[in-house]
Amino acid sequence: MNRCRNPAHPHCTVWVMPGADCCAHGHAQPQAAPPATGEAPAARGLPSGFEAISALRAARGATTLPGAQALSGRPQLHISGFDPRAAGGRQAIRLDLRGMPADCAAELRMLVRSGLRLGAEQHAFQRTSRGDWRPVFLEFSSRGLEHGQYRIDIELHSRQPGHPGSARTWSCSPVILVPRPDASLGEIHQTFLATHKNVRVTADDAGIARVQAPGGGRLDIEVHASNASIAQLDLRDPREQGGRLDLAFSSIAWDEDLIEIDVPLAAAPHPCPADRACLVHVEPDSAAQRHLRLFALDECVLGRFEDIEPDADLLLAHHGEHGLETGGLTRRLSGRHALIRQGRHGFEIEDVSRYGLLLDGVWPGKHAPVPLRLGMRIALTASIRGVAELEVTALWAHGLVLHRVDAGARAEAFCLLAPETDPGSGDAAQAGVQPRAAALPPLFHRGGGFWHRDPATGIDTPLAPGMALERLRGLGAALRFAARPYPEQDRGRDRRALSHAPSVRDLRSPARSPSWLGA
C-alpha cells in the first residue's frame, strides 16, 4: 500500500488500499503513467506479490467468495453435547439456532418426534434482547433399544399474532447413533463419520486439541478444545498404534440445515383478528346468557377464574346450587391447572396443578401429557368431585369441543382450535363428533381470525362484531360475536364478574339454545 499521493493535499498521510481510486479522506489518486516498452514489472510501478493479489481481490469484490453471504444467512440448527458412548442411558443434547431470518417470531415452537424415548415432544426457542436465541436442551434415552441409527424429526413453527400470513415452518431430521454396548470408540467414530458431514469433535473444561493424520493429510474434521479439556484424534497408520485407532473426545457437534416448508398465505385479510373470542346466545325474555368460548392458541391454559390478571386462558369456576361461585370450591382450582396443546399425535392434556385432575376417573400423573379421546371426562381436582367437570364432545384434527357436564353446563362450552389451520371438508371435517355436538357450527381459525364455513355451500365467512349471524347455517338465530372470550366481565366488574350467571330456575328450564350448547 502507498500513502496518499494527491498533489493538492501534500500533508495527507492516509494509506491507500491497492487498486483504490481515492484515499479514506476522499482524495483522488493520480493514475500511473503507461509503462515504456521493455520495462520490468517492478519499474513500471505495477503492484507485485501480495499487493497484486490484494488488488485482484479488491477488484473482484463479492465474487471472491460467492457463497459466503448465503452461508452466513442460512438457517441452521447446531447440535452439540452428543456422546455416543453414553448409549443405553439418558442424554441431553444442546440445540442452538443460527442464521434465522430477522422477520420470524420472537418465540418459535419446536415439535420433536423420534423412535428414541424423548423427555418432551414440544419445546420453544426464545429470542434474547441481543437478537440471538436461547438454547434448548433435548433429553432422550436409548435404554432397551436396538443399536443403530435413530432419526429425530424436528419442526420449527413461527407465528406472529395479529399478522395474517406470517406463519413459517422449518424442518430437519438429525440422526442419532446408538452403538452396540461392546462397540469400540474407533467403530463408533467411523460409523458416525459415515453418516454425518461437517463433524466437530469438541472437548470442554480442560485442555488440548490435536489431529494427527497419515503423512499430514487433510481431514474434513474440526477438533476444538475450550477451557482446556483434552480432545485427541489420531488417524495415523494403525500398525504404529498396535492395530487400533486412538480416539478420545468428550462430545460431538454438527450443524443441520433447516429447510423451510412453504405455507399457503391467507386467502383474504380478516376484518377482526383475534385468537380468543366468544359466541353469545341470548334467550328471549331471559337474563341468562350462554357462551361458546373460542380459543386458537398453540397452548391453552385451563385454570381458576380470576377477575383481575388471571394466570390461565380458559377460566373455570364452580357452579353450585345458587349459580356461579367465585369463591368456595372454585379455590380448589389452581391458577394454572392443566394445559391442552396440539402434539404430533393429536391434542393432549397435561396436569400442571397443585390439586390434580382425573381423566375418566384416573389421575394421569403430573407433567405427563395424555392424548385426548372422544368422550373423555376431565375432572379438575382429584380430591373433590364436581368442582369443574368437562367432556370431550368433538375431536378433529384442527380442534376440539369441551362441554361442561356439571352445574355449569347451561352457562358455557369451549371450542379449542389449532391456529392457522384449515379444517378441510366433507366427512373428514365431521369425523369424531358426538351426537350432542353434531350441530356444532363448522368454525376454524385462519388469517389471524375466526371463520365460519357453510356446510351446504362451503363458503367461508369471517366472524366479526355486528355481523348478522342468523344468516349463517348452524349458528342459531340469537347469536352475537364478541372478540373477547369473556365479554360478560365488562358489565359486571363493579358487581363481581360473571354476575349474570343463570339461576337455579334457568339451569332447570328446558334448553332452547342450539344443540352445541345443550347439556
Side-chain angles (χ1 to χ4, degrees):
M1 291 188 296
N2 300 317
R3 293 184 183 273
C4 178
R5 295 178 295 172
N6 190 306
H9 301 276
H11 301 291
C12 181
T13 58
V14 177
W15 289 97
V16 181
M17 294 297 296
D21 298 332
C22 59
C23 69
H25 290 170
H27 304 152
Q29 300 300 301
Q31 298 294 329
T37 305
E39 283 188 280
R44 299 173 191 167
L46 297 177
S48 60
F50 174 77
E51 294 185 359
I53 297 176
S54 300
L56 181 61
R57 289 178 176 175
R60 291 181 179 178
T63 60
T64 304
L65 297 175
Q69 184 176 1
L71 183 61
S72 63
R74 179 188 304 170
Q76 290 183 333
L77 188 66
H78 180 70
I79 305 174
S80 59
F82 172 58
D83 188 354
R85 296 174 297 177
R90 192 163 192 83
Q91 296 193 58
I93 57 177
R94 172 170 169 160
L95 307 180
D96 292 276
L97 277 180
R98 299 178 177 178
M100 296 301 292
D103 59 347
C104 67
E107 180 172 326
L108 302 180
R109 181 178 177 225
M110 183 175 73
L111 300 179
V112 186
R113 181 177 58 184
S114 175
L116 298 169
R117 295 185 173 89
L118 298 174
E121 294 188 349
Q122 296 205 29
H123 304 268
F125 281 100
Q126 296 178 341
R127 196 196 302 269
T128 67
S129 58
R130 298 174 300 180
D132 54 354
W133 298 89
R134 295 181 57 185
V136 169
F137 290 88
L138 180 64
E139 297 182 353
F140 65 91
S141 173
S142 58
R143 185 178 301 277
L145 298 180
E146 183 182 1
H147 69 273
Q149 301 174 17
Y150 288 83
R151 187 178 75 248
I152 300 180
D153 295 324
I154 298 177
E155 287 185 5
L156 293 177
H157 298 271
S158 170
R159 185 178 295 111
Q160 296 182 355
H163 293 77
S166 64
R168 303 178 67 177
T169 302
W170 295 266
S171 66
C172 67
S173 298
V175 176
I176 294 296
L177 172 66
V178 178
R180 303 190 317 271
D182 59 343
S184 65
L185 292 179
E187 293 173 342
I188 294 175
H189 190 258
Q190 289 177 358
T191 304
F192 193 83
L193 288 181
T195 57
H196 291 75
K197 297 180 180 180
N198 300 324
V199 176
R200 296 177 179 85
V201 181
T202 64
D204 298 325
D205 305 323
I208 302 172
R210 182 168 68 242
V211 174
Q212 295 177 345
R218 179 177 178 180
L219 297 175
D220 188 16
I221 301 174
E222 177 184 346
V223 179
H224 172 69
S226 63
N227 301 329
S229 306
I230 298 176
Q232 177 178 343
L233 177 62
D234 195 344
L235 299 180
R236 292 175 296 179
D237 191 348
R239 291 173 296 181
E240 300 178 6
Q241 310 173 49
R244 63 182 180 85
L245 294 175
D246 186 13
L247 173 67
F249 52 83
S250 63
S251 61
I252 295 178
W254 71 95
D255 295 326
E256 290 284 345
D257 288 337
L258 291 171
I259 302 175
E260 185 168 7
I261 302 174
D262 292 335
V263 178
L265 300 179
H270 199 282
C272 181
D275 56 7
R276 301 170 178 85
C278 184
L279 288 175
V280 184
H281 179 271
V282 182
E283 291 188 0
D285 302 328
S286 175
Q289 294 184 351
R290 296 175 175 84
H291 304 83
L292 177 63
R293 310 192 193 277
L294 310 177
F295 299 90
L297 306 171
D298 291 326
E299 183 177 81
C300 186
V301 182
L302 284 66
R304 181 180 63 246
F305 169 80
E306 296 286 354
D307 189 24
I308 301 176
E309 297 183 357
D311 295 328
D313 305 305
L314 194 157
L315 307 180
L316 293 168
H318 175 66
H319 286 253
E321 295 181 358
H322 303 287
L324 183 140
E325 300 176 359
T326 56
L329 290 180
T330 298
R331 310 311 297 178
R332 300 292 295 182
L333 299 172
S334 298
R336 292 172 55 89
H337 204 106
L339 305 177
I340 293 182
R341 65 173 73 92
Q342 186 181 30
R344 287 187 173 274
H345 303 289
F347 287 89
E348 59 188 20
I349 186 171
E350 178 182 351
D351 180 15
V352 295
S353 68
R354 176 183 178 185
Y355 303 102
L357 59 83
L358 299 177
L359 301 179
D360 288 335
V362 179
W363 180 54
K366 195 170 184 179
H367 300 299
V370 177
L372 291 172
R373 295 180 291 100
L374 191 64
M376 176 181 285
R377 289 288 184 101
I378 305 171
L380 282 78
T381 73
S383 57
I384 302 178
R385 303 298 297 270
V387 177
E389 294 192 15
L390 307 171
E391 180 182 348
V392 181
T393 56
L395 186 61
W396 311 288
H398 79 286
L400 61 100
V401 176
L402 299 174
H403 273 81
R404 297 194 68 152
V405 290
D406 52 20
R410 300 284 185 174
E412 59 186 359
F414 308 94
C415 181
L416 280 60
L417 302 172
E420 304 297 335
T421 304
D422 193 288
S425 59
D427 297 337
Q430 292 296 327
V433 180
Q434 290 281 65
R436 182 173 62 179
L440 180 81
L443 304 175
F444 61 97
H445 188 270
R446 188 185 66 195
F450 293 96
W451 296 73
H452 169 271
R453 175 166 295 173
D454 191 303
T457 63
I459 298 177
D460 297 338
T461 304
L463 299 183
M467 290 188 57
L469 300 183
E470 63 274 7
R471 298 180 181 179
L472 304 179
R473 292 184 177 91
L475 288 182
L479 283 176
R480 64 181 180 88
F481 177 83
R484 302 175 305 282
Y486 295 88
E488 66 272 26
Q489 294 186 20
D490 297 338
R491 300 186 304 169
R493 292 189 181 275
D494 297 335
R495 296 172 296 165
R496 298 292 297 261
L498 301 180
S499 61
H500 296 285
S503 62
V504 177
R505 178 180 58 82
D506 294 325
L507 291 174
R508 296 177 179 175
S509 60
R512 288 183 290 172
S513 59
S515 60
W516 45 268
L517 280 178

